[in-house]
Each structure stands twice: as structure tokens, then as C-alpha cells.
Amino acid sequence: MHVTVRYFAGHRDITARAEEKVELAAGASVGALWELLAARYPRLAGYTGRLLYAVNQEFATPATELRDGDEVAFIPPVSGGTDTPRFLVTPEPLDPAPLVALVAAPDMGAVVTFAGVVRDNFGGRATARLEYEAYAPMAERVLAQIAAEARDRFGTGGIAVHHRVGTLEIGETAVLVVVASAHRQAAFAAAGWIMDRIKEVAPIWKKEIWADGEAEWVGDEKERKTGLKIED
């Protein structure tokens, strides 16, 4: 099958064209098309996790199945926005304000911000500090995939997720999830679901540094299979 891809702004500069026809296998998804284009135009890969998807002028997700003759647009950050990526793993302190600016829109009546903060105890033991480690490039892609699933499941608007790595002291923010939606119920539900999915699938791990000097990675089956435990 063939689809038409529309390019705008920075994407148009990279590809040196406003649109092109692309041949795909029957049943290919929006995500598969983006991976093909990122391989064809390697500089596009830098936009992964920082764009929206549209099929036939309606918002879509990476899982949306394409049909012959569809028009697909990968929408880069819009003017008036920020260079802040929507999905980021970083050793730097987290600030919710840029993420709120990223997801806010005139048709969004609610913006919910969840902050996971390092607390001074876990499992009945006193905590001195935490250490987070991540497979950062993959983790950022997973965060973007989780957000796309959440938009599809809850019908939200923009979503941004930032997670810190390195040593964090008590009271510091470990993770931010910011969700915009037309109504607050969907935004709250999506934020909670996103946190659950991060715990299940994101390649991010936490080490508890106990007040008595002992340390251990949190990763038994009771907490999660891949070793992440984030403060509720």
C-alpha cells in the first residue's frame, strides 16, 4: 500500500520536501512508518518522543493501523512552545513548569501534574538517599510509547514525562508526569495509569541507600519484575 507523508517546519528542512509517497506493507502502523522515515532521514530520529501523530487530519497514536491512500503527518513542536523534550531521562533537577507549558492548549480544561518525591523511609526502614539508573535512550522511547498508549486509552491531550537519574536526596523529585485533558477525570486517570506502566516496563532502576549504611537495588517480584520502585 501507499501513504502520503506531509512534512512541516524542521521535518521539511531535514527531508527537503513538503510531502512524499511511501510504500508500506499492508497493515503497517504509524509507528512503523516513523521508524522507516527515521532510518531514511537519520536527523528525524532526534524528534522521537517530541511529536504528535495525525492520520487524515485526525490525531493518532503509533499503534494506529494505516490504510492505502492515507495522509500521515508527524507534527514537530509548534511555535510558541519550548525546546524542552516531552520525554526525558536526566541527571538534572526536574521542573514542572516547562512541562505544563508543553502540554497546555486552549481546548484542554485540565492539566494534572504528578511528582514522585524521595521520602525518608521505605518498607519500615529509614532511607538516607536514593540512586537511580536507567538505560536512558530506551527509557525515553518507552516513556513516549506509554504516553501514546495513555492518549489512546483515555482520550487525553498532550503528555510529558521526565525522570531523574543519579543520586537524589530526601525531598527531591524523581519523576514528573504532566497530562492535559479536556476534563480532569481523564487527566487524573491517565497520570495514574502512566505511573503504573512506568513501574512495569521502563528500564529504570532504584537503589535504596539506607540510613544504617546498607544499600540494595529494589527489584524483587513483589515490587516489579524489572527493578523499579517509585514513590507513590
Side-chain angles (χ1 to χ4, degrees):
M1 68 177 181
H2 292 83
V3 299
T4 299
V5 180
R6 298 284 306 278
Y7 298 112
F8 302 94
H11 294 182
R12 186 178 61 247
D13 291 344
I14 290 171
T15 62
R17 62 186 68 197
E19 65 178 57
E20 70 173 315
K21 295 280 189 181
V22 177
E23 184 176 359
L24 296 169
S29 66
V30 170
L33 173 59
W34 176 252
E35 291 178 3
L36 183 155
L37 295 173
R40 182 178 299 177
Y41 307 104
R43 289 172 57 202
L44 284 179
Y47 285 90
T48 300
R50 300 196 297 129
L51 72 164
L52 298 176
Y53 313 89
V55 176
N56 300 326
Q57 302 179 16
E58 295 186 0
F59 284 120
T61 74
T64 300
E65 184 174 318
L66 296 170
R67 302 177 184 277
D68 186 54
D70 280 348
E71 179 183 276
V72 184
F74 297 98
I75 303 171
V78 298
S79 61
T82 172
D83 291 333
T84 302
R86 288 179 182 263
F87 309 102
L88 179 68
V89 175
T90 176
E92 300 300 323
L94 303 182
D95 179 3
L99 304 192
V100 172
L102 273 176
V103 306
D107 59 340
M108 296 291 106
V111 177
V112 167
T113 299
F114 170 83
V117 179
V118 178
R119 63 175 180 254
D120 65 1
N121 67 92
F122 176 67
R125 298 184 67 180
T127 300
R129 62 188 180 277
L130 302 180
E131 292 182 7
Y132 282 94
E133 180 180 330
Y135 182 14
M138 179 179 176
E140 291 175 350
R141 291 177 62 90
V142 171
L143 295 178
Q145 291 167 359
I146 291 171
E149 292 175 18
R151 287 195 299 269
D152 188 46
R153 179 182 292 258
F154 298 99
T156 71
I159 297 172
V161 184
H162 284 193
H163 201 298
R164 276 194 74 180
V165 291
T167 300
L168 279 70
E169 302 297 334
I170 304 303
E172 292 192 289
T173 299
V175 59
L176 287 172
V177 177
V178 182
V179 182
S181 180
H183 304 287
R184 66 183 183 277
Q185 292 89 348
F188 279 117
W193 184 85
I194 288 167
M195 283 305 309
D196 288 341
R197 289 295 288 157
I198 290 173
K199 293 179 182 182
E200 292 169 359
V201 300
I204 304 171
W205 301 270
K206 184 187 81 169
K207 180 187 283 186
E208 289 274 355
I209 312 298
W210 306 110
D212 60 11
E214 293 186 3
E216 63 179 313
W217 291 101
V218 179
D220 61 39
E221 287 297 320
K222 184 176 180 180
E223 296 300 342
R224 59 165 290 190
K225 294 181 179 179
T226 54
L228 172 66
K229 176 68 175 72
I230 297 175
E231 284 60 42
D232 325 286

